[in-house]
Amino acid sequence: MTNETLPKTAKLTLGDHAIDLPVMVGTAGEVAIDIRQLRAKAGAITYDPGLGNTGACLSKITFLDGEQGVLRYAGYPIEELAKSSHFVEVMWLLLHQELPSAQQLAQFTHDITYHTMLHEDLKRLFSSLPKAGHPMAVCAAAVGALSTFYQTAGNQTHEQNWIDAIRLLAKMPTIAAYSYKHSIGQPFMYPRNDLSYAGNILHMMFATPCEAYEPNPIVARALDLLLILHADHEQNCSTSTVRTVGSSGANLFASVSAGISALWGPLHGGANQAVIEMLMSIRDGKRTAREFMELAKKKDSGVRLMGFGHRVYKNYDPRALILKQACYDVLGQLGKKDPLLDIAIELEQIALNDAYFVDRKLYPNVDFYSGIIYKALGIPVDMFTVYFAIGRMPGWISQWLEYQADPEARITRPRQVFMGATPRPYQPVEKR
Ligand code: CMC
């Protein structure tokens, strides 16, 4: 069916009751049935656990076609951005859905660079938390705590939201690096304004006050690429969380703190850490790759092939394709070898030739190869998901801002199909 032949309404028949529901088409051809009047007109709701068939918003930020393996930020293919752009420019692109002029980019870069310091009192939050605590928990706490330092955040004017967006984009690397420095007992390193966004992250992570440190440009470029690839992915779990929390009127810091928590889970961003742990367990001889794959196919084993499968992609995730090549490039440029890459390739080959994975259209996702690069760059394993969070920050913020400006936005409040007890009289405890 083409756009021209597509009917303007979809007919729903429930018993002897028929209603027409408006049909809408997105700019990339996505067809949606507008069910906002469904309950009022038909007395019924939809049932869609995991919301796999539910469009919860209109968005101009990111497009992805899971069948074709296509990802575009504001119309620009991810492959082109990965090759020719850089993370700060991509941040602007997501926030404005246009590429910046040279002057806009210079001003934005200046703003991002000059808001990187944290209030000195915020340092005490890091030192009050156990060193062994996961850095994602530390980052969620620190981002949430920004609301206590910038109490104007609840005053959601356009100007205030923009200031908060700049603060968050600028301070997230500092928060991330401080969470790491605290975990290893090293002094916090103040940001350096002469470095690039990625170079400054490396400086705050790996420099010490004892000696001069210059970030390796190969490492900084590879990190910048990872940040670009993670920058947005439309209505994924953490982004939907950020929008949902923001829909109640909660401020940007509170909303993004919730997004960080959502990202932490192993089915979402936490998969990058889980992948490397899976590869290391195979390297260390816990099981062979084939034994692992057999286990991953058994439902009751509780084991999944981490970094594989995706709710939306039923084809190769285009980000995984870029990252697979980047693994070879980065390892080659740094003169490193990593047996984990060979294990990953072996797992992928087994999966691509196994009916279980082929039939279910399970392909490598962004997390399958990213960890190998993080490891080559010297990033500690439990910081992998934190780096994902730094990358996803402009996506979360852009989506939150879009929600705030959306005249059709309402507080997120799904319904349910109640399957519990029907009314019954209360029984005093001695009679139960
Ligand atoms: N290993 C083994 N079986 C799998 C896997 C996997 N990685 N992924 C899906 N399946 C099976 C699943 O058991 C189910 O089988 P059946 O139809 O027989 O019940 C079928 O494939 C469909 O899976 P699903 O769980 O219903 O799919 P979903 O869309 O709800 O979940 C997913 C998507 C990403 C959570 C899932 O594929 C998964 O758990 N993957 C591993 C974790 C992972 O890599 N997550 C990162 C996702 S991409 C980056 C991000 O979002 O942060």
Side-chain angles (χ1 to χ4, degrees):
M1 226 180 283
T2 63
N3 275 1
E4 291 71 43
T5 57
L6 201 69
K8 297 270 177 293
T9 57
K11 197 171 282 303
L12 178 94
T13 310
L14 194 62
D16 50 9
H17 203 71
I19 60 163
D20 287 326
L21 295 165
V23 170
M24 52 199 292
V25 187
T27 52
E30 180 93 82
V31 178
I33 301 169
D34 178 348
I35 59 156
R36 278 177 291 180
Q37 290 300 312
L38 179 63
R39 190 165 175 276
K41 286 188 176 174
I45 59 168
T46 56
Y47 177 60
D48 186 19
L51 307 179
N53 296 284
T54 299
C57 61
L58 305 181
S59 184
K60 294 182 175 168
I61 302 171
T62 290
F63 172 75
L64 81 88
D65 180 334
E67 271 70 37
Q68 303 298 323
V70 168
L71 174 62
R72 297 195 286 263
Y73 296 161
Y76 296 100
I78 192 67
E79 294 78 6
E80 285 184 34
L81 294 170
K83 186 161 166 252
S84 310
S85 187
H86 55 87
F87 185 55
V88 174
E89 184 174 67
V90 166
M91 285 186 195
W92 175 279
L93 173 64
L94 292 170
L95 289 162
H96 297 275
Q97 297 99 58
E98 293 295 342
L99 286 169
S101 67
Q103 196 195 349
Q104 286 167 331
L105 184 59
Q107 180 64 51
F108 183 62
T109 307
H110 174 275
D111 293 346
I112 295 289
T113 307
Y114 284 85
H115 283 84
T116 45
M117 284 202 298
L118 300 185
H119 193 291
E120 286 292 298
D121 292 348
L122 185 54
K123 285 183 180 174
R124 291 207 306 271
L125 179 125
F126 294 89
S127 47
S128 69
L129 297 172
K131 288 198 185 323
H134 197 285
M136 283 297 274
V138 178
C139 289
V143 167
L146 288 178
S147 314
T148 66
F149 291 88
Y150 304 106
Q151 292 170 15
T152 44
N155 158 26
Q156 285 168 10
T157 59
H158 179 72
E159 291 69 31
Q160 185 61 52
N161 287 340
W162 181 249
I163 293 170
D164 292 340
I166 295 284
R167 282 186 176 134
L168 204 39
L169 291 166
K171 292 181 200 307
M172 183 60 198
T174 319
I175 288 173
Y178 279 20
S179 74
Y180 173 61
K181 288 296 200 190
H182 169 62
S183 76
I184 58 168
Q186 282 190 2
F188 299 142
M189 295 300 292
Y190 287 110
R192 260 178 58 189
N193 290 352
D194 61 319
L195 295 173
S196 67
Y197 193 84
N200 187 42
I201 297 175
L202 295 169
H203 154 74
M204 290 190 290
M205 282 280 294
F206 299 119
T208 68
C210 313
E211 53 198 41
Y213 173 88
E214 277 314 313
N216 178 335
I218 298 170
V219 174
R221 174 58 200 152
L223 180 53
D224 199 75
L225 171 70
L226 284 157
L227 297 176
I228 292 174
L229 295 179
H230 285 91
D232 194 43
H233 213 233
E234 51 118 299
Q235 307 312 317
N236 56 84
C237 177
S238 56
T239 301
S240 302
T241 301
V242 170
R243 277 185 178 259
T244 296
V245 177
S247 80
S248 75
N251 69 57
L252 181 64
F253 304 125
S255 306
V256 169
S257 169
I260 294 174
S261 298
L263 184 73
W264 187 11
L267 297 187
H268 192 9
N272 58 15
Q273 176 172 346
V275 168
I276 217 77
E277 288 166 352
M278 169 185 82
L279 297 176
M280 290 196 291
S281 79
I282 296 171
R283 179 199 62 191
D284 298 343
K286 205 165 162 220
R287 327 188 158 84
T288 66
R290 287 213 171 266
E291 283 165 353
F292 183 88
M293 293 299 274
E294 286 310 310
L295 216 53
K297 291 192 282 180
K298 290 203 182 86
K299 287 262 173 322
D300 55 3
S301 70
V303 172
R304 282 194 165 195
L305 177 56
M306 299 311 283
F308 250 72
H310 198 275
R311 169 62 59 78
V312 182
Y313 289 121
K314 301 302 165 200
N315 202 328
Y316 219 108
D317 180 337
R319 302 166 300 173
L321 217 51
I322 297 170
L323 285 174
K324 186 177 178 183
Q325 182 55 46
C327 278
Y328 289 109
D329 296 347
V330 171
L331 288 172
Q333 286 163 359
L334 295 175
K336 290 188 178 178
K337 273 191 146 313
D338 190 342
L340 297 187
L341 178 57
D342 301 328
I343 297 170
I345 302 282
E346 188 184 355
L347 292 176
E348 182 186 330
Q349 278 315 309
I350 298 173
L352 296 182
N353 292 294
D354 185 311
Y356 175 94
F357 295 92
V358 174
D359 293 351
R360 289 170 178 75
K361 299 192 167 75
L362 301 173
Y363 292 89
N365 61 49
V366 69
D367 294 320
F368 196 65
Y369 286 107
S370 64
I372 295 172
I373 305 181
Y374 285 131
K375 188 166 163 287
L377 304 186
I379 311 295
V381 172
D382 65 0
M383 287 297 288
F384 288 5
T385 316
V386 172
Y387 276 71
F388 192 150
I390 301 174
R392 185 54 53 87
M393 195 55 74
W396 287 332
I397 295 173
S398 307
Q399 302 266 355
W400 187 91
L401 290 172
E402 189 176 59
Y403 199 87
Q404 301 300 318
D406 184 348
E408 298 194 335
R410 307 167 73 197
I411 186 167
T412 301
R413 204 304 185 183
R415 288 192 174 262
Q416 63 169 12
V417 182
F418 182 67
M419 301 298 255
T422 50
R424 47 185 171 164
Y426 174 78
Q427 295 291 327
V429 70
E430 59 280 7
K431 290 199 178 162
R432 285 176 223 157

